[in-house]
Amino acid sequence: MTSTPAASAPLLSIRDLSTWFHTGGRSVARAVDGVSFDVMPHETVGLVGESGCGKSVTSLSILRLIERPGRIEPGSRIDFEGRDLLSLDDRAIRAIRGNRISMIFQEPMTSLNPVFTVGDQIAEVARVHSTASRREAWERAVDMLQQVGVPAPADRAREYPHQLSGGLRQRAMIAMALMMHPALLIADEPTTALDVTIQAQILELLAELQTRVGMSILLITHDLGVIAESATRVLVMYAGQIVEEAPVRTLFDAAHHPYTEGLLSAMPRLGDRRERLTVIPGTVPSPTQWPAGCRFHDRCAYAWDRCRTDAPPLYQIGAGHVSRCHLAAEPARRRAPAFAAAAPAS
Amino acid sequence: MARLLLRRAIHGALIIWLVATATFFLLHLAPGDPIAASLDSPLTPPVVRTHYRHEYGLDQPLSVQYGRWLVMMAHGDFGFSFPHRRPVSSVIASALPNTLLLMGVALLLSFVAGIALGLIQARHRGRPLDWGLGLGSLFFYSMPDFWLALMLLFLFAFVWHVFPVTGMFDPVMYPYYGFWQRVGDRLWHLVLPACTLALLSAAAIARFQRAALLDVAGEDFVLTARAKGVSERGVWLHHVLRNALLPVITLFGLALPVLLGGSVFVEKVFSWPGMGLLTVEAIGTRDYPLLCAAVVIASVLVIGGSFVADALYAVVDPRVRLE
Ligand SMILES: Nc1ncnc2c1ncn2[C@@H]1O[C@H](COP(=O)(O)OP(=O)(O)OP(=O)(O)O)[C@@H](O)[C@H]1O
Ligand SMILES: [Mg+2]
């Protein structure tokens, strides 16, 4: 399915989302700090970034699953199907969770409750969100397991999580998430914990179910390979902010932000025998103390004075392509190939 | 699973036998013998003494006495109690149900109260209600059992006259009551001793339950449950509690010895005619057969409790059940 983003209204629209953790003392961890993006109906949006950049916190904020000391700061806005999620009362947001917006997580082992059968846990979704009886809910759970390609679903439903393989558990999680045919599926590193062949199967299954159910997917990963395979549009996140947004082809062919360049060159290519050759030098800064100016400047090969003092806005690069980098204003400074020069030019 | 329980049962039987044996020899190492108190007066002719010693086998070597005692025990015959002038089994038959009633009610109360308190505290973690209840349970947790018993007795029975002072029923009016009045009267007398016992362990259980709940609350599957749209109530009562009950079930096995020990004081303070009171008396009168029987019964209760705990654990945790 090809999407026509410009034509329709967004399914999910996030504006200036800030989620901060007020962890005692005076330090505030600004895990997510002014994030804005849209998800259109039926599209798959990839969200990439190194560990700790705020991907999970962003996704949990959408369903308001952030717990103390975390808080979605005033001024943030999340609109979904024309409703402002941040102003809903508890009951109304619960009616959306697992129903209109579902989530699947990285660890299918720990994400399932060890003391209930898989069928029970899937059926629970139907019991929470519909008036289905126990029996009906159970039958729908078995049916759902079948749809996500679990063999002998009626038997598997009666088993406990520890009796299933990692791949089957993730399929069970997907069945649980899709039970109510949600409009949006948030998949937070759905394949990271699985081995490679199973990864491919799960991604394929997600793509197939997406066309069947007609939902949008927000796919969170730090694996650009997964993005290349599944997403139509990519958001690159760094230090609590979106630093680049582009259609998937543009991103792989003409990335603008030096951080994205770094991620791409760190990505092992098909047929590439070398182990991760390029890793972006330096460490991810702490969310309690983001660097002044551009948050990436002390790891950037191109950084100059301006980057240390002025926080860059999102510059428009092309159609549907934005980048949070001053190089957009001064393209001549992109002389040396990324990370070739050891010392930053000044 | 069945094999696991069978193994536990065999272990349990072994431990009970060891406890019984140790008690037997310890008591016979102590100076004097069961009939010394009644017969060792200078006025009793030595012939009489020897006669009775012979009659009850007390002149036999210890090994023979032990052998006989084991055979008797295996037949459920605990011997004869001289001070009570009745068979030990009949003495116990009148006291054991009273203790079981007291402990059963205390056990139930303490777990219901402990789990409920732990749940309330965990849900209000870090807020005033949490630390208020935490402080309260710490207060009872660190209090000596006999002192708590005396204080409750003093306050509720002497100062406020809310509950009766001692005994299991009203000594005067009881025979004149109808059936329901009798039930009510007995419950009325049960409140203070049972609550004393329950408070002591409820405090410990609450602290333990709170920690277990908070442990589970941080697990990934709890986030999954919330993300599914389950209500807070459902999350805590269904997903969190069910997992957090596992460690508390272990406490169930551990709580019995504590309750049993506590019931000795509580029965004494409230003149509750149970095994605890009986045992204390038996120590004073050197009633060996009764003491041995009491110790064996106590160990059966404790071992039985931990056996029940193991079985419960298996029921609640499929990973154990399906092993
Ligand atoms: N409960 C919390 N309390 C304090 N800080 C938190 C909490 N949860 C997350 N953070 C902080 O928020 C930041 C972003 O975390 P997040 O889990 O969103 O990263 P991520 O991009 O999903 O990383 P990963 O790839 O490892 O999953 C981290 O620096 C983390 O320290
Ligand atoms: Mg994450």
Side-chain angles (χ1 to χ4, degrees):
Chain A
M1 250 185 215
T2 49
S3 54
T4 47
S8 50
L11 175 72
L12 174 75
S13 166
I14 297 182
R15 289 294 170 269
D16 297 319
L17 173 67
S18 291
T19 306
W20 296 355
F21 291 88
H22 303 260
T23 44
R26 238 164 302 154
S27 77
V28 174
R30 287 147 60 187
V32 173
D33 204 14
V35 161
S36 303
F37 65 89
D38 290 344
V39 175
M40 296 295 162
H42 309 295
E43 79 168 333
T44 299
V45 176
L47 180 58
V48 282
E50 283 168 296
S51 192
C53 68
K55 305 183 296 290
S56 295
V57 173
T58 302
S59 67
L60 292 174
S61 301
I62 297 172
L63 279 180
R64 296 214 334 237
L65 289 168
I66 298 293
E67 294 203 68
R68 287 187 311 161
R71 196 178 82 180
I72 298 176
E73 299 298 315
S76 309
R77 222 187 134 78
I78 301 177
D79 286 310
F80 173 77
E81 290 184 330
R83 289 211 279 172
D84 175 11
L85 296 188
L86 297 183
S87 65
L88 295 181
D89 62 19
D90 285 352
R91 196 182 194 80
I93 188 74
R94 276 209 310 273
I96 288 180
R97 294 177 187 157
N99 187 13
R100 302 304 300 151
I101 304 179
S102 289
M103 284 191 84
I104 54 179
F105 303 98
Q106 175 173 345
E107 271 297 335
M109 178 71 236
T110 55
S111 298
L112 288 166
N113 195 326
V115 301
F116 299 117
T117 62
V118 167
D120 262 337
Q121 297 184 57
I122 301 173
E124 188 182 16
V125 180
R127 293 212 309 277
V128 168
H129 294 292
S130 69
T131 53
S133 68
R134 254 173 194 279
R135 197 204 169 89
E136 285 162 3
W138 181 269
E139 277 161 10
R140 283 172 63 186
V142 172
D143 181 54
M144 208 61 221
L145 278 174
Q146 166 134 41
Q147 288 188 43
V148 298
V150 171
D155 297 332
R156 292 291 90 76
R158 277 192 295 274
E159 294 189 331
Y160 291 90
H162 73 276
Q163 295 172 288
L164 302 182
S165 69
L168 280 186
R169 274 183 222 133
Q170 196 58 295
R171 282 175 195 265
M173 281 296 289
I174 294 172
M176 194 190 294
L178 299 193
M179 191 76 166
M180 306 305 294
H181 301 291
L184 174 65
L185 175 70
I186 301 174
D188 192 347
E189 317 234 12
T191 59
T192 312
L194 306 173
D195 56 47
V196 187
T197 42
I198 312 283
Q199 277 191 20
Q201 289 173 15
I202 295 289
L203 288 177
E204 217 169 282
L205 173 70
L206 281 179
E208 183 207 321
L209 290 167
Q210 176 175 29
T211 24
R212 209 189 305 161
V213 178
M215 62 186 175
S216 305
I217 298 181
L218 178 60
L219 182 63
I220 298 173
T221 174
H222 50 238
D223 184 348
L224 277 168
V226 169
I227 294 285
E229 231 169 282
S230 320
T232 47
R233 207 152 52 82
V234 191
L235 307 160
V236 181
M237 209 170 164
Y238 183 77
Q241 296 178 322
I242 302 283
V243 294
E244 183 159 11
E245 175 181 342
V248 69
R249 281 264 55 88
T250 314
L251 191 93
F252 281 91
D253 296 342
H256 183 270
H257 201 284
Y259 177 66
T260 315
E261 276 181 16
L263 283 182
L264 285 168
S265 53
M267 180 187 161
R269 307 216 172 234
L270 206 63
D272 194 345
R273 289 283 184 80
R274 296 166 302 179
E275 288 286 306
R276 303 191 157 222
L277 199 61
T278 331
V279 190
I280 307 171
T283 49
V284 187
S286 154
T288 49
Q289 278 172 308
W290 295 130
C294 171
R295 292 178 184 183
F296 188 59
H297 78 252
D298 53 358
R299 299 174 74 190
C300 180
Y302 310 112
W304 67 97
D305 306 339
R306 181 177 180 187
C307 305
R308 290 180 195 99
T309 50
D310 289 3
L314 278 170
Y315 292 96
Q316 191 77 38
I317 309 297
H321 188 185
V322 293
S323 170
R324 195 182 286 280
C325 178
H326 291 310
L327 281 173
E330 302 177 50
R333 290 195 177 258
R334 198 197 290 269
R335 322 175 280 251
F339 309 113
S346 51
Chain B
M1 213 280 272
R3 229 185 311 141
L4 180 92
L5 288 183
L6 183 69
R7 198 161 359 114
R8 284 305 170 96
I10 292 172
H11 280 182
L14 212 64
I15 291 173
I16 291 169
W17 172 69
L18 281 176
V19 168
T21 304
T23 321
F24 179 84
F25 283 106
L26 269 178
L27 286 179
H28 282 78
L29 282 179
D33 61 42
I35 52 178
S38 33
L39 293 175
D40 276 7
S41 112
L43 297 176
T44 320
V47 212
V48 177
R49 264 182 259 167
T50 344
H51 171 78
Y52 277 105
R53 292 239 149 77
H54 182 71
E55 181 120 314
Y56 291 103
L58 294 170
D59 56 349
Q60 302 279 337
L62 206 53
S63 56
V64 174
Q65 290 191 38
Y66 172 65
R68 280 191 188 170
W69 183 70
L70 270 192
V71 173
M72 277 164 61
M73 292 278 286
H75 289 87
D77 179 359
F78 293 102
F80 192 82
S81 165
F82 292 91
H84 289 272
R85 307 199 186 285
R86 281 195 290 162
V88 170
S89 43
S90 111
V91 179
I92 286 176
S94 58
L96 188 59
N98 298 343
T99 291
L100 289 183
L101 174 71
L102 180 62
M103 284 193 28
V105 171
L107 202 64
L108 195 74
L109 273 182
S110 63
F111 272 86
V112 169
I115 290 172
L117 277 178
L119 202 58
I120 294 171
Q121 278 188 266
R123 281 195 64 172
H124 296 85
R125 162 192 27 171
R127 276 177 275 184
L129 189 58
D130 177 22
W131 57 255
L133 289 174
L135 220 62
S137 66
L138 188 65
F139 178 73
F140 287 112
Y141 183 60
S142 48
M143 189 178 288
D145 41 13
F146 62 90
W147 195 78
L148 178 67
L150 285 172
M151 277 302 118
L152 289 183
L153 184 67
F154 176 69
L155 289 178
F156 286 94
F158 290 103
V159 179
W160 296 322
H161 301 286
V162 192
F163 293 111
V165 180
T166 56
M168 286 184 63
F169 45 78
D170 194 302
V172 180
M173 294 305 291
Y174 193 74
Y176 304 104
Y177 286 153
F179 177 75
W180 287 113
Q181 272 177 306
R182 288 186 177 193
V183 170
D185 187 53
R186 280 177 168 257
L187 282 179
W188 202 235
H189 281 76
L190 188 58
V191 173
L192 268 189
C195 284
T196 309
L197 264 184
L199 262 181
L200 290 166
S201 38
I205 294 167
R207 293 169 67 74
F208 200 75
Q209 180 70 84
R210 174 185 182 274
L213 284 163
L214 288 181
D215 239 25
V216 176
E219 297 272 354
D220 288 348
F221 61 78
V222 178
L223 180 62
T224 306
R226 290 210 174 89
K228 282 200 286 195
V230 178
S231 65
E232 268 317 277
R233 195 188 155 80
V235 166
W236 282 98
L237 290 185
H238 193 59
H239 289 270
V240 180
L241 183 61
R242 178 68 185 270
N243 280 275
L245 276 182
L246 294 174
V248 174
I249 286 173
T250 318
L251 263 196
F252 179 83
L254 298 175
L256 268 177
V258 177
L259 275 182
L260 213 55
S263 73
V264 173
F265 292 103
V266 169
E267 288 184 5
K268 184 97 184 112
V269 170
F270 293 99
S271 310
W272 187 266
M275 290 297 292
L277 205 58
L278 205 60
T279 312
V280 174
E281 280 170 18
I283 292 172
T285 56
R286 290 227 183 83
D287 193 343
Y288 290 171
L290 183 54
L291 270 181
C292 282
V295 171
V296 170
I297 285 172
S299 67
V300 168
L301 282 181
V302 169
I303 302 282
S306 73
F307 184 78
V308 170
D310 284 339
L312 272 181
Y313 204 103
V315 168
V316 177
D317 191 348
R319 284 161 299 187
V320 175
R321 190 191 328 148
L322 301 168
E323 202 172 80

